[in-house]
Amino acid sequence: MLTYEQALEKLLAAAQPVEEVRHVPLLAAAGRVLAVVQQSGVSVPPLDNSAMDGYAVRTADVTTAGICLPISQRIPAGTVGVPLQPGSVARIFTGAPIPAGADAVVMQERCEHGEGGVVINQVPKSGENIRRAGEDITAGADILPAGVKLRPQEIALAASAGLPELPVYRRVRVGMFFTGDELVQPGEPLPPGAIYNSNRYALRTLLEGMGCEVRDLGAVEDRLDATCDALRRAAADNDLVITSGGVSVGEEDHVKPAVEAEGELDMWKIAIKPGKPLAFGKIRKEGGHAWFIGLPGNPVAAFVTCLMMVRPFVMRLQGIAQVAPPILNLPCASAWNKPDGARLEFLRGRINEAGAIELYRNQGSAVATSLCWSDGLILNPPGNCIAAGDTVRFISFAELLA
């Protein structure tokens, strides 16, 4: 069996970012991946400005507390004052440019109205309460690297630098379908021996949450010709084809021979639990190929392998450089005495009020309730028993689903 790290390395080595780049307005760029490093054309802030509502002063004029100076001008944000007259102060507001000659701002709480001016009750230091030009961004500086997924904070930074749009990779296109005559859609009657197709809804929403454009072909009959046709249709306009289940070698498992007929296939056994079987390959299409990943059929196995294997592969197709999720080292509140001797386990757990991880009582690969109950996954090495109080490695669903 391949280790998790070996399998992931093989996937990432194959993935190359999509080539198309599109320029989109800032308000449409959230969640997209930046294709080209961005520089600022302006300094931020562009001028020295006040960090407070108060009074701009020359420190040389305020050598003792309690001095009263006349107000020579008023400078609201968005306007530029005139040079400050010696022996006077300027009423100034947060964000307003500092007038020439002034070298400090005294906050209004340290001042009071006096006869013929304002009483300064604090001796200021030069530079006090002044934001310097370019202290956040200098003109020409790199502000956003290529390969970053744009969050609201990156959008705000681009806006502060005056960028109206950003170059982003186009969305990764994914075709997906599911095989199995036993699959029934929610809302339909459930005949004996049938099951509702939960994987369709889990995988589609996961992929859409990753920023993919998903073409859902639904359930496909358990026939080789139908499976081949579905593969061709799924590959035609997409970068990646995802299936769940049906990659074994049984008489009703047609995905393996269909992929081999329509492209190339590697069958991997990965030393992880849940999710040992995974298929990776290519589907031929006009002008090239679409990648293929066949996931296990059990609901938890499909969900976990989508997060831990498909997600980094998709991120690399999107052009994202950093694909590894943060791993937390946390105490475990539960004991685990039945580890798998050969496989890395993804155990479902949640963080309790004390900040320790509690394990879900049933870690079966078909127990979908464990995913809803949990906050994330413990990465438990092969053969490792966990005693209450031991430190474990934990990946939060909040990071994997961001």
Side-chain angles (χ1 to χ4, degrees):
M1 289 190 290
L2 295 174
T3 66
Y4 168 67
E5 291 77 14
Q6 288 170 333
L8 186 58
E9 183 179 359
K10 285 177 175 287
L11 282 174
L12 296 181
Q16 296 294 325
V18 296
E19 294 182 353
E20 296 175 47
V21 175
R22 298 173 178 176
H23 287 77
V24 300
L26 285 188
L27 291 176
R32 306 295 292 271
V33 179
L34 191 66
V36 181
V37 63
Q38 296 296 293
Q39 292 87 25
S40 177
V42 298
S43 292
V44 180
L47 298 170
D48 291 357
N49 69 81
S50 178
M52 298 283 180
D53 289 348
Y55 297 89
V57 302
R58 296 172 181 267
T59 53
D61 293 336
V62 188
T63 56
T64 60
I67 191 169
C68 184
L69 297 173
I71 301 172
S72 60
Q73 60 180 306
R74 183 177 184 274
I75 312 174
T79 63
V80 178
V82 298
L84 183 64
Q85 299 173 13
S88 73
V89 301
R91 178 68 167 124
I92 196 167
F93 297 88
T94 303
I98 301 297
D103 62 347
V105 172
V106 181
M107 68 172 64
Q108 62 188 19
E109 292 83 354
R110 302 289 186 266
C111 305
E112 58 184 292
H113 292 290
E115 186 175 345
V118 64
V119 177
I120 310 296
N121 292 320
Q122 172 193 333
V123 177
K125 296 179 181 178
S126 181
E128 187 171 342
N129 296 321
I130 293 178
R131 302 181 185 129
R132 295 301 181 187
E135 72 173 27
D136 186 10
I137 303 170
T138 56
D142 292 348
I143 56 169
L144 292 173
V148 64
K149 189 172 183 178
L150 297 166
R151 304 168 298 171
Q153 46 267 56
E154 280 83 26
I155 302 299
L157 184 61
S160 72
L163 303 176
E165 62 180 22
L166 291 171
V168 298
Y169 291 108
R170 71 155 171 81
R171 295 189 186 277
V172 171
R173 299 167 183 151
V174 181
M176 56 180 278
F177 67 89
F178 304 87
T179 64
D181 290 341
E182 76 279 12
L183 298 177
V184 175
Q185 299 309 309
E188 298 177 359
L190 191 66
I195 58 172
Y196 287 121
N197 185 2
S198 64
N199 283 350
R200 178 186 185 187
Y201 297 87
L203 298 181
R204 176 167 176 171
T205 52
L206 282 174
L207 291 164
E208 289 176 341
M210 295 173 197
C212 299
E213 291 181 5
V214 180
R215 184 184 179 194
D216 184 354
L217 302 183
V220 174
E221 293 181 11
D222 274 334
R223 300 195 327 267
L224 180 59
D225 61 333
T227 307
C228 288
D229 178 67
L231 285 172
R232 288 192 293 269
R233 289 186 290 127
D237 300 317
N238 297 301
D239 308 296
L240 172 64
V241 177
I242 298 285
T243 64
S244 175
V247 226
S248 188
V249 292
E251 293 179 5
E252 299 300 325
D253 293 321
H254 301 295
V255 174
K256 180 178 183 292
V259 174
E260 290 172 334
E262 300 295 330
E264 303 172 17
L265 182 68
D266 280 333
M267 293 286 291
W268 297 346
K269 289 185 177 180
I270 307 175
I272 59 174
K273 182 181 181 180
K276 180 171 71 172
L278 186 135
F280 177 64
K282 302 176 182 179
I283 308 298
R284 290 186 300 272
K285 65 177 182 178
E286 185 177 352
H289 67 268
W291 295 109
F292 171 82
I293 299 180
L295 299 177
N298 278 324
V300 177
F303 191 92
V304 168
T305 51
C306 187
L307 287 179
M308 301 305 296
M309 304 297 289
V310 174
R311 175 181 174 272
F313 185 76
V314 165
M315 292 173 72
R316 191 56 57 84
L317 293 180
Q318 291 170 327
I320 297 175
Q322 175 58 43
V323 301
I327 297 178
L328 303 175
N329 291 306
L330 297 174
C332 191
S334 307
W336 181 248
N337 298 316
K338 38 187 178 181
D340 189 285
R343 293 186 285 172
L344 170 69
E345 294 177 295
F346 297 114
L347 303 174
R348 277 76 70 205
R350 70 179 180 190
I351 304 175
N352 63 20
E353 293 181 354
I357 307 297
E358 298 176 351
L359 287 171
Y360 191 68
R361 54 182 171 75
N362 187 338
Q363 294 288 327
S365 62
V367 183
T369 50
S370 67
L371 297 172
C372 296
W373 183 90
S374 301
D375 295 326
L377 303 171
I378 291 174
L379 279 62
N380 190 44
N384 183 62
C385 290
I386 301 172
D390 285 353
T391 298
V392 295
R393 295 185 300 155
F394 183 76
I395 299 178
S396 170
F397 284 147
E399 295 287 349
L400 293 170
L401 300 175

